[in-house]
Amino acid sequence: MATLINATIPACELALSEAFTSLPNLEIEAEQLIKGGENTVMPLLWVRGVEPDDFEAACESDPTVDELELLTAFDDELLYRMQWFDQVSLLFQMLTNAKACLLDAFGKNGTWSLRLMYPSREHLSETKMFCSEHELSFSIEAIQELEGEPSGRYGLTTKQYRALVTAVNAGFFDVPREVTLREVATEMEISHQALSECLRRGTHALVENTVLIGPAESHP
């Protein structure tokens, strides 16, 4: 059975440790991580909380950064293409060995928060063994088994998933709204209050597990 985990690893064992140390407000969200050569990774990263000049100066002295290119700049975030090397290759070796898929990566305060999917618990055990052998401080924060329902991929309960899907299909989230909350509740044969609570909690879980990367407290 597929297994979804949230885990953390210190930046000193992955990438950009010195950048996080010199820039305490730095936040980084991976848009994409691509394996390059044997010992390189070419990521696209959203960078927040710093000015471009400060971030680029910090990267110049960071031993994990080989190349850096600013692609897009907005008021509150920057999109960079980089080239990492050195110990970064260990992460991809770990994922390859366990047939895992890296879904999300978020860095702050010298720590990377990762969201990973494994084909099974047995494959996750291979990661634990790999980390032990290579002395990696890989800490698992949460484990979730994906049991058939697509809700599991997004941190939703089955009731929350069905409530959101029913509301969307009925036009509750359309502008202008096609149906009222009470009409959706009637269709689902539950109370208006129960549906309201289900939609609120489901929306919170959906955003937290798809839009927000990393610890919830990182996103005021």
Side-chain angles (χ1 to χ4, degrees):
M1 182 183 299
T3 301
L4 188 67
I5 75 163
N6 294 335
T8 59
I9 187 170
C12 62
E13 298 180 10
L14 183 56
L16 296 173
S17 176
E18 293 193 17
F20 283 116
T21 299
S22 61
L23 301 170
N25 294 323
L26 175 63
E27 294 186 7
I28 299 177
E29 179 180 340
E31 176 72 21
Q32 188 175 29
L33 293 176
I34 302 172
K35 185 87 167 72
E38 183 177 351
N39 296 310
T40 63
V41 175
M42 297 177 291
L44 292 178
L45 303 175
W46 289 103
V47 174
R48 306 183 183 104
V50 296
E51 295 296 324
D53 291 345
D54 294 335
F55 180 68
E56 290 165 16
C59 287
E60 284 183 9
S61 60
D62 194 300
T64 56
V65 180
D66 186 30
E67 297 179 8
L68 181 69
E69 179 185 1
L70 178 61
L71 300 181
T72 304
F74 297 99
D75 290 338
D76 57 352
E77 59 184 1
L78 313 162
L79 180 63
Y80 279 93
R81 178 168 54 209
M82 297 184 187
Q83 183 165 308
W84 291 345
F85 60 95
D86 201 15
Q87 70 264 38
V88 178
S89 59
L90 270 180
L91 173 67
F92 279 84
Q93 185 181 343
M94 178 185 78
L95 299 180
T96 300
N97 289 355
K99 299 182 180 179
C101 178
L102 177 61
L103 302 179
D104 299 314
F106 177 86
K108 185 180 180 182
N109 295 331
T111 299
W112 284 96
S113 299
L114 309 177
R115 194 159 174 258
L116 301 156
M117 183 179 291
Y118 290 83
S120 69
R121 283 272 189 143
E122 288 72 21
H123 289 85
L124 175 56
S125 297
E126 294 180 22
T127 287
K128 294 178 181 178
M129 185 179 300
F130 183 95
C131 291
S132 177
E133 292 173 350
H134 293 81
E135 299 183 345
L136 294 176
S137 305
F138 186 77
S139 300
I140 297 175
E141 308 295 327
I143 301 178
Q144 180 181 356
E145 304 287 357
L146 304 186
E147 301 178 354
E149 285 281 354
S151 58
R153 290 175 291 174
Y154 311 112
L156 301 170
T157 66
T158 299
K159 287 183 179 180
Q160 290 166 357
Y161 176 80
R162 290 175 178 168
L164 285 166
V165 169
T166 301
V168 168
N169 289 338
F172 177 73
F173 293 107
D174 290 354
V175 180
R177 186 166 290 171
E178 295 292 329
V179 295
T180 66
L181 187 66
R182 194 172 300 279
E183 288 172 327
V184 178
T186 299
E187 179 181 341
M188 296 187 66
E189 298 182 345
I190 61 176
S191 70
H192 172 276
Q193 181 177 350
L195 176 59
S196 177
E197 180 178 332
C198 199
L199 288 177
R200 288 200 307 272
R201 292 186 176 182
T203 301
H204 181 275
L206 185 61
V207 171
E208 190 169 57
N209 285 281
T210 57
V211 178
L212 302 184
I213 311 301
E217 60 268 24
S218 300
H219 306 270

